[in-house]
Amino acid sequence: MSESSPKYWLMKAEPDTRIVKGKDVKFSVDDFESIRTTPWEGVRNFEARNLMKEMVVGDKVLFYHSNCKNPGIAGFAKVAKEAYPDYTAWDSSHPYFDPKTKQDDPKWFMIDATFIARAKYFVPLALLRHIADSSNVEPPDEIGYIGVDGVQSIKAMPLVARGRLSVQRVDEDSWNVIQTLAEMGGWDDLTLGKKSTTKRKSTTKTPTKQATKKKDNLEQDQAPNPGSNDISLNAGKTIRKRKIEDDHEGDETIPKRRSTRTKKMPPS
């Protein structure tokens, strides 16, 4: 495929410090802009790996901040080198070491990506979900410039349909809508990330233990962030722990990506 007819992708990285095996796997848009070109090591999900193996030089990439308080699209990049074995999988000191892969029969691959530009306006996942979850075919007035077609393109994005995979396809229409949002902004006055809830009136003065449990479960299911894990507390109680939708990038058997690549850290 030539430079004039690229495919489009979305790739995730963690912008906040997280220490794995004594190493910081943080890789933010600041780091990416400083390094310019970087290997995309650490992907340990077969579907994500296979998608990277389809990439060719010149393909375009949405750079996405994941596993953080405000996930979303922070910049734009392109594929600079096609898939080759991810040598970090053979390094036992590396956070993403995989003892089941061999140098003469590599299981994991990576590409090199080159930074193109920051998003002038960070495009939050909350905005994309707000659009995708709406029953309206028209966009909100604040971003009316994306039109009906733009709404449909966002609704079709794997990012809002299945979310968690760390490497995803993006069609050209969706790429263009995201690029337009990143250039024009305008959604500051929108209320994002909240769903309206209706309180149910109790039919008894003293609800039973079973009724209280059902009510608690209903309120937990209505939490504004749909990604969650169940965690158990003492006394047999279970609560829903809210988590960012893209906390985990798939059914990975070893720690999730990103990134111990050599980088210049921005001034603190």
Side-chain angles (χ1 to χ4, degrees):
M1 180 170 292
S2 68
E3 191 85 21
S4 61
S5 56
K7 288 183 179 178
Y8 301 89
W9 311 91
L10 180 144
M11 302 181 76
K12 299 180 181 181
E14 297 183 29
D16 298 334
T17 290
R18 184 168 69 88
I19 305 300
V20 180
K21 287 189 175 181
K23 297 180 181 180
D24 192 352
V25 297
K26 167 185 177 292
F27 190 70
S28 69
V29 70
D30 294 327
D31 301 320
F32 199 1
E33 184 175 28
S34 175
I35 293 172
R36 308 303 295 185
T37 298
T38 179
W40 211 267
E41 83 278 5
V43 173
R44 301 293 182 263
N45 173 280
F46 288 108
E47 185 176 358
R49 178 207 65 182
N50 290 343
L51 290 175
M52 285 200 300
K53 290 175 76 172
E54 292 182 25
M55 296 179 184
V56 299
V57 172
D59 281 1
K60 302 296 181 64
V61 177
L62 298 176
F63 179 69
Y64 182 94
H65 278 177
S66 176
N67 197 20
C68 56
K69 184 176 181 180
N70 185 26
I73 295 155
F76 302 90
K78 65 181 178 180
V79 175
K81 183 177 180 180
E82 294 169 18
Y84 59 99
D86 182 348
Y87 48 77
T88 66
W90 309 321
D91 181 356
S92 60
S93 68
H94 195 278
Y96 306 119
F97 170 63
D98 181 0
K100 295 182 179 180
T101 188
K102 300 177 181 179
Q103 294 191 36
D104 58 356
D105 185 22
K107 181 166 65 174
W108 304 114
F109 289 77
M110 58 185 173
I111 56 97
D112 286 357
T114 295
F115 178 86
I116 295 177
R118 286 175 176 267
K120 181 179 177 181
Y121 296 96
F122 179 87
V123 182
L125 176 62
L127 172 66
L128 301 179
R129 284 219 180 103
H130 181 85
I131 297 168
D133 293 344
S134 174
S135 58
N136 296 328
V137 295
E138 297 281 349
D141 291 342
E142 293 85 348
I143 54 170
Y145 55 81
I146 69 172
V148 173
D149 290 342
V151 170
Q152 294 307 310
S153 293
I154 289 172
K155 287 178 182 287
M157 289 184 73
L159 181 64
V160 296
R162 56 175 299 190
R164 295 178 184 270
L165 196 64
S166 64
V167 179
Q168 301 177 9
R169 298 184 191 277
V170 177
D171 64 36
E172 185 174 5
D173 290 339
S174 299
W175 170 277
N176 290 334
V177 173
I178 296 299
Q179 198 168 41
T180 301
L181 287 167
E183 179 62 30
M184 299 186 67
W187 54 81
D188 289 349
D189 292 335
L190 283 175
T191 301
L192 304 176
K194 293 184 179 181
K195 295 180 181 179
S196 61
T197 59
T198 302
K199 292 185 178 180
R200 300 171 65 180
K201 293 183 179 180
S202 175
T203 56
T204 60
K205 292 183 179 179
T206 306
T208 64
K209 183 177 180 181
Q210 183 177 6
T212 302
K213 184 177 180 181
K214 287 182 178 179
K215 181 174 182 293
D216 289 343
N217 287 339
L218 174 64
E219 289 173 349
Q220 291 154 8
D221 288 342
Q222 290 174 335
N225 199 332
S228 60
N229 283 347
D230 287 337
I231 58 175
S232 296
L233 301 180
N234 55 4
K237 294 181 181 178
T238 300
I239 66 171
R240 303 285 289 185
K241 182 181 179 185
R242 295 180 188 174
K243 295 178 75 66
I244 298 301
E245 172 68 17
D246 10 43
D247 267 11
H248 304 288
E249 311 297 4
D251 297 325
E252 303 181 16
T253 57
I254 57 181
K256 183 167 69 67
R257 4 174 15 262
R258 205 84 268 146
S259 166
T260 56
R261 59 178 62 89
T262 304
K263 56 180 176 277
K264 282 196 227 168
M265 299 303 294
S268 58

